[in-house]
Amino acid sequence: MRAHVEIRRLTKRFGETVAVEDLSLEVQKGEFITLLGPSGCGKTTTLRMIAGFVEPDRGEIYLNGRFLNNVPAHRRNVAMVFQSYALFPHMNVFNNVAYGLKLRKKSRQEIGKRVREVLELLNMEGMEKRYPHQLSGGQQQRVALARALVLEPEALLMDEPLSNLDAKLRVAVRNELKELQKHFGITTIYVTHDQEEALAISDKIAVMKEGILQQLGDPWEIYRHPVNRFVADFIGTANLLEAVVEKSGPGFVELGIAGEHILISREGLDLAIGQKILINIRPENLRLFKEPTHVMSEITVKGRIKRNTYMGRTIQYWVQMKDGTELIVEEHAPETVLDGEIYIGFDSKHIEFVSMERKCWV
Amino acid sequence: MDMRNLKIRTDFLSISIIAILATVLVIFVLLPVLKVFTYPSFEEYTRIIAKARTIRAVKNSLFITCLSSITATLIGFLFAYAMNYTKIPGKRLFDGLILLPLLSPPFVVALAWVLLFGGHGLITRQLLGIRGSIFGWHGLWIVQSIAFFPYSYLIIDGVLKGIDPNLEYAAKNAGANGSHVFRTVTLPLALPGVLNALVLIAIYVLADFGNPILIAGGWPVLPTEIYGRISGHYDLSGAAALSSLLLLPTLLLFILNRTLLRGKSFITVTGRGEGLERPMAGPFTQWCLFAFCALLTSVVVLVYGTLLAGAFVKIWGINWTPSLENFQVLKGVRGESLLNSLFFACFAGLGAAIFSIFASYFIYKKTFSGKRVLDFLSLLPAAIPGVFLGVGFLLSFNSPPLVLSGTAAIIILALMVWNIPLGYQACTAGLEQIGAEIEEAAMNLGANPIRVFKDTIFPLLRSPFLSGFIMGFLRAITNLSIVIFLISPGKSVATVEILDLIQYAELGPAVALTVVLFTIALAVVGIARLLLRWSFGELKGLKR
């Protein structure tokens, strides 16, 4: 079966700047996919090409098997939720939501019924007569979503829809958004630069950088097996360390990392002695101990705490190792603040092998 | 982002609309300009330019332009500063009265000047007992400074309001005293706007016809010379050559304004701190500014008071008995000219506003080859002196293929074209405010380009549309410099009749007609503004 939304080798340049380069992507029916990356990575341009606001230089877009490139924006039947919401300021909530239905020449009764239904679903009943400027940011967001959903579009496009909400509301709305998407079973392409949001909401994440797709995978893969330094660093907090292969044998490898020699037992590694590689250990997988003698961790190295940031639920330490390398260590539910000489413990299974430049180590 | 790469599906209907707009601009903007330039032969150019009188007129024009625009800008700046940086009493009153000259015909100040300082002048004859009158450049300088400073006030007021008070507080916080803040923060930030006002007023003064024709007498400036060429000698080539000469400096100023001064504004950099009270000027400065504002407002009140008095006395300077005799002028041909004025101005204002809203969306917003040319042509009339445009229409449309002379259409079209830039700028500014996402949202929901225009652009541009109409109407009903070349029997307008009466020394009826014209203009503006408020009652929060 063909994918519901299919993008093939999509390329777009603005003058000299590459916005999107050779992007191919498949989205299955009902899937929630997020285009994630820093600003200027081409995620919004990709979305706008799907919506028909920007014409690609090269490449094809298919929706449900239909070739979309030649279809004008107003006939694509993909609904978009804009970053600024783009509610019509001169229409009340009802008319905003009804606008697309009116253009589709639906009967008055049907329009009334469908608008009421969608507003009810979004807990916005009774707000029909209000104008956008009389609504809070969260309510405006709901209207924008209602306006898109009421059309029962073939795909839903969302351009950083939560970025104008305050932090607490953002989390609440994002959960709601996910539920609605599941409820409608609507294929969704979502754009954000917030990696936490992407992890929380997506079925799949496409990480982009400078117009190029870096990695496509579900949140687990993206977080636990980043394919390169950029993805590892962009998603969550990373301790990226360069390592040299010192010994290698069946089922084990010994690495020289930050002046320490670390033995890792793992099957399926094919590393040559002397090879330089990049590894990552997430801060939450490191633990700190006052004494070197303990049984909880496989590996222990010595370090010195330089500074900390206390965030209530967690505390982050910057720990300097023998050769000067700094590691970030995150502890949950801290009860005391540690300082001075310290021992870092971790398990070898938490060491991720990240690619060095071109080569991939997964 | 490079606009050329943004996808705009230019459909057949959009292309048709652009073609219509382009046709209007080419026929009624470009053609008259080219016609004036090419009408005189090379010999005729050299003949007219070599004339001693021409050289005098050019010198006079440049001289008075420098003088009047600098004083008008300075007065406007001081007034704007007083309105924004003081807590002097009567601010609202000053602010309201000072804008009266914007609503009245451009020669109103000159007319008051004639009543006060002319042959039968109240001050010269009655109070000082001087025979003869004080005409010439001194009078013109004062009159133009008073007539044009409100424009500079409006511009500079906007500039000062745009300065973030936090910047001034930051300077104070860093240890600057009041005058220091003014010299090192306020003034440098306002300077681009002030220069902008200066250049715009220079364009107005250079093109000013009404004031010099009334009071400059034998002191020729270019606009009056051009008129003289036609009314005195019916020398069309001479008038065209002089018009070309007049357009050069105006065009230069216009281009200077759009290239050099554009984008020099610091206002957009911050623009925060709204609602924050500015640091006020020192008490001594405040009282000086109060005296200045009071004096200036008194002068404006004197101008309009004189006019009112002039309308209601029997014979100015001779018989001071109150009477309505002067309003007898409303009966007959001269009274009919008022209806013409109203009629022409309504159509011209409406035409300009409609053209602007379409031009802003289909020229400014869309992408197509030749877009820049059409954009330029839409703004060009702002640089064309009224006299030039009048001569241009006269020359362009009195012979086939398009004969319009003698019709109402030629007057309406000329006035409409002259007012396009104002509406166009208002609408494009409005479009910028709306932002692209609203349009895209409509498109995304299934609206074709025409529906996008009808459902989003048009309703959201109602406010610039109406203000474009108001400005266009006002400028059209008070215009003298264009219509004087285009009227024909039965199609005369009030401003021309007023000038005619003054030239026959019928000051009383002239003033009466002016007062009625002014009242009509005020009434229409009042109604339009009520309409504006009424139609936006529900949309108070529309502006972001």
Side-chain angles (χ1 to χ4, degrees):
Chain A
M1 207 194 85
R2 279 188 82 166
H4 192 58
V5 179
E6 201 179 333
I7 292 167
R8 277 197 216 145
R9 313 207 64 174
L10 205 60
T11 296
K12 180 71 198 172
R13 289 195 172 84
F14 294 111
E16 292 293 295
T17 328
V18 177
V20 177
E21 179 82 22
D22 211 17
L23 175 74
S24 296
L25 210 60
E26 290 190 352
V27 190
Q28 302 304 327
K29 191 158 180 61
E31 205 170 35
F32 193 120
I33 188 167
T34 296
L35 307 180
L36 173 68
S39 60
C41 76
K43 54 192 192 299
T44 297
T45 306
T46 304
L47 203 69
R48 291 167 57 84
M49 283 193 277
I50 300 171
F53 305 141
V54 179
E55 192 160 22
D57 296 340
R58 267 201 318 280
E60 294 126 56
I61 303 167
Y62 296 92
L63 175 65
N64 215 358
R66 181 168 65 129
F67 181 58
L68 220 51
N69 292 47
N70 292 335
V71 182
H74 64 276
R75 296 218 191 92
R76 291 201 175 190
N77 203 26
V78 289
M80 181 140 164
V81 177
F82 292 84
Q83 186 171 13
S84 66
Y85 313 141
L87 297 179
F88 304 123
H90 56 300
M91 296 182 195
N92 62 23
V93 169
F94 183 90
N95 287 328
N96 262 289
V97 179
Y99 184 75
L101 293 173
K102 283 182 189 161
L103 288 172
R104 282 162 181 73
K105 307 253 184 312
K106 303 289 181 201
S107 71
R108 273 177 83 93
Q109 288 88 344
E110 191 187 345
I111 293 175
K113 185 170 160 281
R114 280 170 70 173
V115 172
R116 262 194 312 281
E117 275 171 9
V118 76
L119 288 177
E120 205 170 308
L121 198 67
L122 286 159
N123 298 319
M124 286 290 287
E125 61 266 64
M127 300 277 190
E128 289 88 347
K129 294 270 182 296
R130 300 262 186 102
Y131 280 87
H133 70 268
Q134 296 168 317
L135 302 176
S136 70
Q139 291 172 325
Q140 291 182 9
Q141 220 274 334
R142 277 158 201 270
V143 178
L145 195 60
R147 189 174 69 175
L149 289 174
V150 78
L151 297 176
E152 292 168 6
E154 289 183 73
L156 183 63
L157 310 177
M158 292 198 252
D159 185 8
E160 310 227 7
L162 307 181
S163 62
N164 284 335
L165 303 176
D166 66 65
K168 269 210 168 142
L169 198 56
R170 207 178 305 158
V171 174
V173 175
R174 129 187 135 190
N175 296 334
E176 214 174 330
L177 208 60
K178 179 75 187 171
E179 267 171 42
L180 276 169
Q181 189 263 340
K182 282 273 168 286
H183 173 90
F184 281 90
I186 188 169
T187 311
T188 302
I189 304 176
Y190 188 95
V191 159
T192 184
H193 65 266
D194 182 337
Q195 43 92 20
E196 191 188 305
E197 191 175 300
L199 291 172
I201 205 168
S202 320
D203 295 328
K204 265 191 192 158
I205 298 173
V207 185
M208 294 176 72
K209 179 201 174 196
E210 289 165 8
I212 297 168
L213 178 65
Q214 305 290 315
Q215 188 174 3
L216 177 68
D218 64 38
W220 286 84
E221 281 171 52
I222 296 283
Y223 189 78
R224 298 178 63 138
H225 306 297
V227 295
N228 59 27
R229 178 191 281 267
F230 173 79
V231 177
D233 210 17
F234 191 76
I235 313 289
T237 311
N239 286 306
L240 287 163
L241 301 166
E242 285 177 9
V244 184
V245 180
E246 292 176 338
K247 285 177 196 157
S248 181
F252 82 95
V253 66
E254 195 180 294
L255 301 176
I257 307 169
E260 305 280 349
H261 308 282
I262 291 166
L263 186 72
I264 301 166
S265 334
R266 199 178 292 188
E267 297 294 333
L269 290 172
D270 181 20
L271 297 169
I273 290 169
Q275 191 176 347
K276 285 186 178 161
I277 58 166
L278 190 68
I279 63 150
N280 179 29
I281 315 172
R282 297 285 180 188
E284 65 271 25
N285 293 328
L286 297 173
R287 272 156 297 174
L288 296 178
F289 302 99
K290 277 276 178 210
E291 303 298 325
T293 48
H294 58 85
V295 288
M296 289 171 76
S297 300
E298 220 183 294
I299 299 159
T300 311
V301 293
K302 214 174 159 189
R304 183 179 184 79
I305 293 175
K306 303 300 287 183
R307 60 186 188 280
N308 70 67
T309 303
Y310 176 67
M311 289 173 290
R313 192 158 48 87
T314 61
I315 186 164
Q316 279 192 345
Y317 293 100
W318 277 259
V319 184
Q320 194 171 48
M321 303 192 24
K322 221 189 268 176
D323 70 335
T325 312
E326 274 190 9
L327 287 180
I328 301 172
V329 180
E330 186 170 285
E331 294 216 316
H332 281 260
E335 280 172 7
T336 54
V337 177
L338 303 166
D339 64 351
E341 298 289 329
I342 209 82
Y343 294 91
I344 309 171
F346 56 97
D347 293 344
S348 69
K349 67 174 183 193
H350 287 131
I351 293 181
E352 300 153 16
F353 290 73
V354 184
S355 83
M356 286 292 277
E357 305 309 321
R358 266 154 271 117
K359 284 190 176 170
C360 266
W361 303 96
V362 182
Chain B
M1 229 180 249
D2 192 348
M3 285 299 288
R4 270 169 305 173
N5 284 295
L6 290 182
K7 175 165 203 171
I8 286 138
R9 291 181 178 273
T10 325
D11 57 314
F12 178 71
L13 220 89
S14 306
I15 294 171
S16 317
I17 291 173
I18 291 170
I20 294 170
L21 297 172
T23 313
V24 171
L25 289 173
V26 167
I27 295 180
F28 297 109
V29 179
L30 190 61
L31 184 73
V33 172
L34 294 180
K35 191 82 183 176
V36 172
F37 274 126
T38 54
Y39 194 82
S41 66
F42 184 71
E43 288 74 35
E44 282 165 326
Y45 264 115
T46 45
R47 171 179 65 87
I48 201 86
I49 287 171
K51 275 191 176 175
R53 200 175 159 83
T54 306
I55 295 166
R56 251 180 76 206
V58 171
K59 275 189 186 160
N60 287 350
S61 266
L62 295 179
F63 170 72
I64 200 72
T65 300
C66 287
L67 216 56
S68 297
S69 47
I70 288 172
T71 42
T73 308
L74 203 65
I75 296 172
F77 179 83
L78 287 176
F79 198 82
Y81 190 79
M83 290 302 116
N84 284 290
Y85 286 85
T86 67
K87 283 182 172 170
I88 54 176
K91 256 166 77 169
R92 285 182 68 105
L93 185 73
F94 294 150
D95 181 56
L97 288 172
I98 221 75
L99 295 176
L100 278 177
L102 293 175
L103 303 176
S104 48
F107 51 77
V108 157
V109 183
L111 191 52
W113 180 267
V114 171
L115 293 177
L116 293 172
F117 300 102
H120 296 284
L122 178 67
I123 293 175
T124 36
R125 183 91 178 259
Q126 304 290 317
L127 298 180
L128 305 174
I130 303 169
R131 294 215 159 248
S133 57
I134 308 172
F135 285 149
W137 69 266
H138 299 94
L140 186 59
W141 176 28
I142 295 173
V143 165
Q144 285 181 331
S145 300
I146 297 168
F148 292 114
F149 89 84
Y151 293 92
S152 112
Y153 162 55
L154 276 190
I155 299 170
I156 296 169
D157 182 61
V159 173
L160 292 180
K161 285 206 162 61
I163 294 175
D164 184 352
N166 282 323
L167 296 176
E168 288 155 343
Y169 284 117
K172 285 207 157 184
N173 183 256
N177 65 24
S179 76
H180 230 94
V181 172
F182 178 76
R183 274 185 292 117
T184 57
V185 177
T186 313
L187 195 58
L189 286 177
L191 202 58
V194 173
L195 288 178
N196 176 42
L198 181 67
V199 170
L200 275 179
I201 286 160
I203 292 176
Y204 288 148
V205 175
L206 205 52
D208 183 25
F209 171 73
N211 292 313
I213 194 122
L214 284 196
I215 56 165
W219 199 74
V221 289
L222 272 174
T224 52
E225 273 304 287
I226 294 165
Y227 176 63
R229 283 279 113 203
I230 288 183
S231 74
H233 313 85
Y234 208 69
D235 174 11
L236 290 175
S237 322
L242 286 175
S243 299
S244 308
L245 220 55
L246 174 62
L247 187 64
L248 278 182
T250 328
L251 210 55
L252 218 68
L253 286 172
F254 177 71
I255 292 168
L256 178 83
N257 201 30
R258 286 200 66 79
T259 53
L260 274 177
L261 297 178
R262 203 186 196 188
K264 283 270 172 78
S265 168
F266 299 108
I267 299 315
T268 47
V269 178
T270 55
R272 290 188 179 271
E274 267 174 57
L276 204 63
E277 195 184 89
R278 307 191 161 276
M280 294 291 145
F284 177 73
T285 317
Q286 289 209 24
W287 286 111
C288 287
L289 285 170
F290 174 74
F292 170 79
C293 291
L295 180 72
L296 199 62
T297 311
S298 316
V299 170
V300 173
V301 169
L302 180 68
V303 165
Y304 289 89
T306 308
L307 284 186
L308 268 184
F312 290 100
V313 300
K314 236 181 178 126
I315 302 170
W316 185 266
I318 293 162
N319 186 345
W320 301 94
T321 327
S323 129
L324 288 175
E325 212 168 273
N326 290 327
F327 289 91
Q328 292 293 330
V329 74
L330 296 179
K331 292 178 185 160
V333 188
R334 301 207 198 265
E336 278 165 30
S337 71
L338 269 174
L339 285 181
N340 283 340
S341 283
L342 188 64
F343 178 72
F344 295 164
C346 274
F347 274 91
L350 212 57
I354 292 172
F355 185 93
S356 303
I357 200 168
F358 276 94
S360 66
Y361 185 65
F362 287 96
I363 295 177
Y364 183 78
K365 231 8 193 337
K366 299 263 166 177
T367 313
F368 54 94
S369 50
K371 168 190 157 88
R372 292 187 62 131
V373 178
L374 295 188
D375 180 59
F376 179 75
L377 286 180
S378 304
L379 292 167
L380 184 63
I384 301 178
V387 177
F388 183 103
L389 201 64
V391 173
F393 266 66
L394 182 67
L395 296 179
S396 302
F397 305 113
N398 64 356
S399 59
L402 192 54
V403 184
L404 293 174
S405 52
T407 65
I410 194 171
I411 301 175
I412 294 171
L413 281 166
L415 290 173
M416 178 193 125
V417 160
W418 190 52
N419 284 310
I420 285 174
L422 279 173
Y424 181 67
Q425 279 171 312
C427 287
T428 50
L431 273 183
E432 302 263 274
Q433 262 224 325
I434 294 170
E437 286 201 340
I438 293 277
E439 261 173 84
E440 287 173 355
M443 227 189 290
N444 180 258
L445 293 167
N448 62 34
I450 299 306
R451 286 302 298 251
V452 172
F453 183 74
K454 185 179 150 277
D455 296 341
T456 66
I457 304 301
F458 194 77
L460 290 175
L461 286 185
R462 265 192 303 188
S463 163
F465 176 84
L466 270 171
S467 64
F469 166 75
I470 293 176
M471 287 300 288
F473 170 82
L474 264 178
R475 277 163 49 99
I477 204 169
T478 58
N479 175 271
L480 174 65
S481 55
I482 299 173
V483 291
I484 198 158
F485 295 97
L486 302 176
I487 51 150
S488 47
K491 308 275 187 320
S492 185
V493 296
T495 47
V496 176
E497 293 302 323
I498 293 165
L499 179 67
D500 198 42
L501 285 167
I502 295 168
Q503 283 172 336
Y504 283 104
E506 300 223 35
L507 283 184
V511 175
L513 202 53
T514 309
V515 168
V516 176
L517 180 70
F518 185 50
T519 313
I520 291 175
L522 276 185
V524 172
V525 172
I527 292 168
R529 290 190 61 156
L530 271 182
L531 218 64
L532 196 73
R533 204 173 300 171
W534 168 70
S535 73
F536 283 93
E538 73 216 30
L539 293 175
K540 272 174 244 121
L542 194 65
K543 288 224 170 99
R544 273 184 281 166

